[in-house]
Amino acid sequence: MTESARNVLFVVLDTVRKDHLTPYGYGEPTTPVLDAFAEEAVVYEEAVAPAPWTLPVHASMFTGRYPSEHGASQERPYLEESTGTLAEAMSAAGYRTACYSSNAWITPYTRLTVGFDAQDNFFEVMPGDLLSGTLADLWQRVNDSDQLRAVANRLVELGNDIHEYFAGADSADSKTPDVVDRAIEFTDGEEGWFAFLNLMDAHLPVYPPEEYREQFAPGVDPDTVCQNSKEYNSGARDVTETEFTDIRGLYDAEIRHMDAQLQRLFDHLKTTDQWEETLVVVCADHGELHGEHGLYGHEFGIYDPLVNVPLLVKAPTLDPGRNEDTVELQDLYHTVLDFADVPAVEGGREPESTRSLLSVDYRDFADADYGFVEYHRPVVELKQLETKANEAGIDLSTDSRFYSRMRAARRPDAKYIRNERIADEAYRLDRDPGETENLAGGDDEQLAAVETRLREFERDIGETWDDDDGPGEDVLEEMDETTKERLQDLGYVE
């Protein structure tokens, strides 16, 4: 640790849409704290998430790589042990590191927590011995095996069930105040710390505290609205626009709750004289759809409400203001290492000045105005969707977006989406920000340029799509006894 070491606070507001935050012009007072924060930060208008869901986005932010480069997706839901991470680099340089999260994907299972000395994560609600190396190894092994893939799907379904229980009415929002408490305690230690927080309140199911529910969704009972996006997306349940209005109100209430909790953390750093020299990053990993494009949640699409995310950054060397240039979330890896003057660890990507938001030559490379998004086959979400469809007697077509991989190249003015099993999509964002008019196959020169750049990106990352849909039906026959015992502990086999 050098004498010049400075602190880093990295906050992810999970599942939060940019257009529901007051610094981005939202008409409801969801984020007065972030509104004040924006006065001393850079507010990025065109930040692009590399995927529409947690695991690959966090893996990108922690490695500086695109999803196809780091490989963490629902098809292989973990980081390789050989991949060096941001937290490992900071820890190796002498920083104290901590990860406080209630997200089921940010755990030792997925190896996203590697390098964090202090941890408080989702699976602490489970018996302690379930975080053993044996189960972490099992997680990787079942995801590497076609025969065991269904087991991995069921493990994640269990995680969703647990999240729904702990987010339910009887224990609503019990985690975020604890996460902030832990972060405050952590920052009271010696200087030279890196704290990462993921706040999950806006993720379904939404059960905001009564104070904020009455402000943003008066009279709405969270138990009466659709809290399972798979029911809607599968066609098993209809959601009216009135119900979506209620859902948005609950969603706003959860955002206000997180904003209030950030006030406690920000105030603590100010009263302890740490605020001015601390790099503070606040972003979302992805957004949420509330019926747009016939979708609910953040699966099965890569539209802008999902991937054009909020990003606010405060640093001693950054002048406050608004930025309308393309920014990619994986650049935060380079930004943090640049700020801390820390090199990568073995297996990690060396920090690049053209990828650091703090550098005068940030994105000084060809085609810097492009951001790229990848959505690998959603095997876990698909299993849950199929379950809801089957229960309702609905047949899902395999030639649909539910079974499709997707990629997009995006500029502030134009976006091209390549879909695997359905028609491609192309939108002029400058005049159609809602992505309502698909211009794919037309003669728009800007869209043609974006499609060309997407093809070049696909060539550069060297990944091709195939139609291997995954596991066979019988997943238990080839299990060893240790695996069966662990699954018995989790309630999957008798």
Side-chain angles (χ1 to χ4, degrees):
M1 174 68 64
T2 65
E3 292 185 0
S4 62
R6 293 175 289 180
N7 303 323
V8 177
L9 174 63
F10 196 141
V11 179
V12 171
L13 305 177
D14 204 292
T15 322
V16 168
R17 290 172 61 136
K18 187 181 78 171
D19 60 0
H20 278 245
L21 303 184
T22 50
Y24 290 96
Y26 192 43
E28 298 293 329
T30 53
T31 52
V33 176
L34 287 183
D35 217 21
F37 176 63
E39 295 299 316
E40 52 184 318
V42 179
V43 180
Y44 294 92
E45 301 279 0
E46 302 294 343
V48 179
W53 67 288
T54 294
L55 175 63
V57 176
H58 282 74
S60 289
M61 293 189 297
F62 289 173
T63 66
R65 296 177 166 98
Y66 290 105
S68 285
E69 294 175 319
H70 61 62
S73 70
Q74 287 195 7
E75 295 173 278
R76 198 196 68 187
Y78 57 86
L79 272 177
E80 293 281 3
E81 287 187 77
S82 60
T83 303
T85 69
L86 176 59
E88 286 182 298
M90 296 292 281
S91 181
Y95 276 78
R96 296 186 300 116
T97 59
C99 174
Y100 302 124
S101 167
S102 53
N103 191 304
W105 289 106
I106 305 173
T107 70
Y109 300 128
T110 58
R111 308 201 190 282
L112 287 183
T113 58
V114 65
F116 288 107
D117 304 318
Q119 296 182 32
D120 178 11
N121 58 61
F122 174 87
F123 278 101
E124 287 193 356
V125 302
M126 300 175 69
D129 61 354
L130 291 181
L131 278 175
S132 66
T134 300
L135 189 52
D137 290 342
L138 165 63
W139 176 252
Q140 180 169 341
R141 181 147 38 93
V142 298
N143 280 287
D144 282 344
S145 166
D146 285 345
Q147 286 71 36
L148 299 181
R149 159 58 69 173
V151 175
N153 295 348
R154 296 185 69 186
L155 285 171
V156 175
E157 285 188 284
L158 173 69
N160 288 339
D161 291 342
I162 294 174
H163 171 65
E164 288 183 13
Y165 172 78
F166 280 93
D170 293 336
S171 56
D173 297 300
S174 62
K175 193 69 174 176
T176 289
D178 291 342
V179 165
V180 172
D181 286 343
R182 293 289 297 274
I184 288 174
E185 181 181 0
F186 173 76
T187 63
D188 275 342
E190 63 188 45
E191 290 185 2
W193 49 259
F194 169 46
F196 177 84
L197 282 64
N198 177 291
L199 306 182
M200 275 283 286
D201 303 74
H203 193 289
L204 287 171
V206 284
Y207 284 88
E210 183 176 357
E211 171 188 359
Y212 302 116
R213 188 172 75 239
E214 287 307 306
Q215 180 181 359
F216 292 94
V220 177
D221 182 352
D223 286 323
T224 64
V225 301
C226 181
Q227 295 272 21
N228 188 309
S229 62
K230 313 304 185 301
E231 292 180 345
Y232 174 80
N233 292 331
S234 68
R237 175 171 175 171
D238 183 40
V239 178
T240 65
E241 182 54 34
T242 298
E243 187 174 353
F244 269 128
T245 297
D246 291 341
I247 291 169
R248 294 185 197 107
L250 296 171
Y251 180 76
D252 285 347
E254 291 284 31
I255 294 174
R256 179 66 186 96
H257 173 61
M258 288 187 288
D259 188 71
Q261 292 300 310
L262 284 180
Q263 180 78 71
R264 295 199 298 123
L265 179 54
F266 290 176
D267 285 349
H268 178 76
L269 294 180
K270 292 172 183 176
T271 59
T272 55
D273 296 324
Q274 300 182 83
W275 179 256
E276 292 299 329
E277 294 303 313
T278 298
L279 170 65
V280 181
V281 176
V282 180
C283 68
D285 55 346
H286 57 80
E288 188 84 328
L289 291 171
H290 292 129
E292 300 94 336
H293 306 282
L295 294 171
Y296 180 23
H298 48 271
E299 305 92 18
F300 315 122
I302 50 177
Y303 298 107
D304 260 22
L306 300 179
V307 299
N308 178 205
V309 294
L311 171 63
L312 300 89
V313 178
K314 180 197 77 70
T317 57
L318 282 180
D319 293 327
R322 306 190 81 87
N323 185 296
E324 297 183 355
D325 298 327
T326 294
V327 172
E328 295 184 285
L329 287 190
Q330 56 267 41
D331 295 348
L332 296 173
Y333 166 91
H334 302 272
T335 302
V336 171
L337 293 183
D338 181 22
F339 177 79
D341 193 22
V342 167
V345 294
E346 183 178 356
R349 184 171 176 178
E350 287 298 331
E352 302 170 21
S353 63
T354 58
R355 287 284 186 175
S356 168
L357 293 167
L358 310 180
S359 174
V360 294
D361 60 348
Y362 176 60
R363 295 189 78 85
D364 184 13
F365 51 78
D367 298 324
D369 52 346
Y370 287 91
F372 300 98
V373 183
E374 298 184 90
Y375 187 44
H376 290 72
R377 193 182 309 286
V379 290
V380 175
E381 306 296 346
L382 186 55
K383 174 63 177 176
Q384 297 170 19
L385 187 81
E386 290 173 335
T387 298
K388 293 299 181 183
N390 290 338
E391 291 173 351
I394 296 171
D395 292 326
L396 298 175
S397 171
T398 56
D399 291 324
S400 67
R401 67 170 50 256
F402 304 128
Y403 293 82
S404 180
R405 295 180 176 103
M406 303 173 183
R407 286 200 183 104
R410 183 192 185 280
R411 299 189 319 208
D413 66 331
K415 179 178 179 183
Y416 195 95
I417 303 173
R418 189 179 320 289
N419 295 308
E420 183 184 24
R421 299 192 175 197
I422 59 175
D424 289 355
E425 300 168 76
Y427 302 101
R428 283 299 300 267
L429 300 177
D430 51 355
R431 57 177 184 249
D432 179 26
E435 299 166 288
T436 61
E437 184 181 5
N438 183 5
L439 300 176
D443 57 1
D444 187 288
E445 291 184 2
Q446 304 306 315
L447 291 173
V450 176
E451 181 188 10
T452 297
R453 185 64 190 94
L454 177 58
R455 290 187 182 278
E456 293 171 349
F457 171 77
E458 292 172 318
R459 179 199 65 205
D460 293 342
I461 61 173
E463 185 184 85
T464 60
W465 285 336
D466 60 56
D467 289 323
D468 180 8
D469 281 324
E473 293 294 325
D474 191 351
V475 300
L476 296 177
E477 289 184 358
E478 299 184 27
M479 287 185 187
D480 58 35
E481 289 305 312
T482 299
T483 302
K484 289 182 181 180
E485 288 173 6
R486 289 294 179 177
L487 293 175
Q488 285 173 338
D489 291 339
L490 293 172
Y492 281 110
V493 296
E494 298 180 354

